[in-house]
Amino acid sequence: VARAAPASASARPQCRRVRCAAKDAAWAPGNESPIHLDGTLAGDMGFDPLNLGEDPQNLAWYQQAELIHARFAMLAAAGAVAPSLFGSVVSWPGAGVEWYDMGTYDGYWCDTNTLLTVQFLFMGWAETRRFMDLKNPGAANADPLFDYSVSATDAIGYPGSAFNPMGYGKSGDELAALKLKEIKNGRLAMMMCVALYAQYAATGVGPLQNLADHLADPWNNNIITTFSDAFIWDYGNLTQEWVGPVIGSGVGYPAL
């Protein structure tokens, strides 16, 4: 009776150990980045302590939401300082008007309600198209009225074509670097917009005036003195109640 030859060592099942190293979170050194943040997104710092982007669809939505908010914040930050910065050099409707007065300024070519209505219509159309493209990439690529391709690719949030007339980012490395610069500047601009609100609530003036006051007298016009004025009341009058800062008043505390 013939016997079966013993299996060779190479034919035996082998067990291999694969060791995966977790990606460090750049925003908090020493901590691990969530598994869904693998570094492929522009500006990925491993920041998602609540795991909001654990679902891939939610992650794609949040990524686009951050990108659009970043772009609007960059425009808003520039628009908040441009009228004061260039108002004395160039004349246009609204030149020299501070950002907190722009909503009530009546010197534009039409009234504020008309501007708001037009903005709702145009922004509603644009945001609806963007939402369609997010749900079905490439669905909103072709213009519905004219025979024109809006985007050269189906990349969501980065249409290129008419939105990139200078032809930047032709190579993959250059495009990745530009995406990183954009989201970093956008995050800084979002923080700046929050700072503009806080600064006006505390001082009642615009950012350039705050800067000029600080440069003129840095020891008495800074964040420490502003906070001390907001939280110190008149000890000589104990019946006087402290009032929190009120936006638009410029003074949210009793006079010393």
Side-chain angles (χ1 to χ4, degrees):
V1 179
R3 296 181 178 178
S8 62
S10 59
R12 295 175 183 175
Q14 297 181 357
C15 180
R16 295 183 179 179
R17 293 182 178 180
V18 179
R19 188 174 182 180
C20 298
K23 178 178 175 288
D24 290 336
W27 76 279
N31 293 277
E32 295 182 357
S33 176
I35 192 173
H36 56 274
L37 297 180
D38 55 3
T40 56
L41 297 176
D44 180 6
M45 300 297 176
F47 181 79
D48 189 9
L50 301 179
N51 283 328
L52 299 177
E54 190 173 8
D55 181 85
Q57 292 184 348
N58 290 341
L59 180 61
W61 177 270
Y62 291 137
Q63 189 263 341
Q64 288 300 310
E66 181 189 34
L67 180 62
I68 294 301
H69 280 81
R71 289 171 177 172
F72 273 115
M74 286 188 284
L75 290 173
V81 298
S84 298
L85 187 62
F86 302 107
S88 59
V89 180
V90 183
S91 177
W92 74 88
V97 180
E98 291 290 351
W99 67 267
Y100 45 81
D101 290 329
M102 290 180 181
T104 57
Y105 178 68
D106 59 356
Y108 298 114
W109 58 276
C110 64
D111 59 276
T112 304
N113 291 332
T114 302
L115 285 175
L116 186 62
T117 302
V118 173
Q119 182 178 359
F120 268 119
L121 293 175
F122 278 93
M123 289 301 300
W125 178 84
E127 287 299 292
T128 301
R129 298 275 295 175
R130 191 172 65 84
F131 177 77
M132 293 168 58
D133 191 47
L134 181 61
K135 287 294 185 181
N136 186 14
N141 194 359
D143 191 279
L145 299 179
F146 304 97
D147 186 16
Y148 175 75
S149 180
V150 178
S151 173
T153 66
D154 292 338
I156 302 174
Y158 302 97
S161 187
F163 295 93
N164 185 18
M166 304 301 293
Y168 292 121
K170 292 183 178 179
S171 65
D173 293 339
E174 182 184 3
L175 182 60
L178 291 174
K179 288 181 178 180
L180 181 60
K181 291 178 181 179
E182 180 186 38
I183 197 62
K184 282 185 174 182
N185 283 280
R187 289 168 178 170
L188 184 62
M190 287 188 281
M191 295 298 297
M192 178 181 175
C193 288
V194 175
L196 288 174
Y197 281 99
Q199 204 170 28
Y200 174 66
T203 64
V205 296
L208 294 184
Q209 184 60 49
N210 279 316
L211 178 61
D213 293 341
H214 172 70
L215 294 178
D217 190 2
W219 291 106
N220 293 313
N221 294 309
N222 53 65
I223 188 172
I224 298 177
T225 57
T226 300
F227 273 113
S228 66
D229 288 343
F231 291 100
I232 295 178
W233 58 87
D234 187 359
Y235 289 98
N237 183 6
L238 300 180
T239 61
Q240 190 174 18
E241 296 181 356
W242 176 80
V243 180
V246 179
I247 293 180
S249 67
V251 178
Y253 45 88
L256 298 179

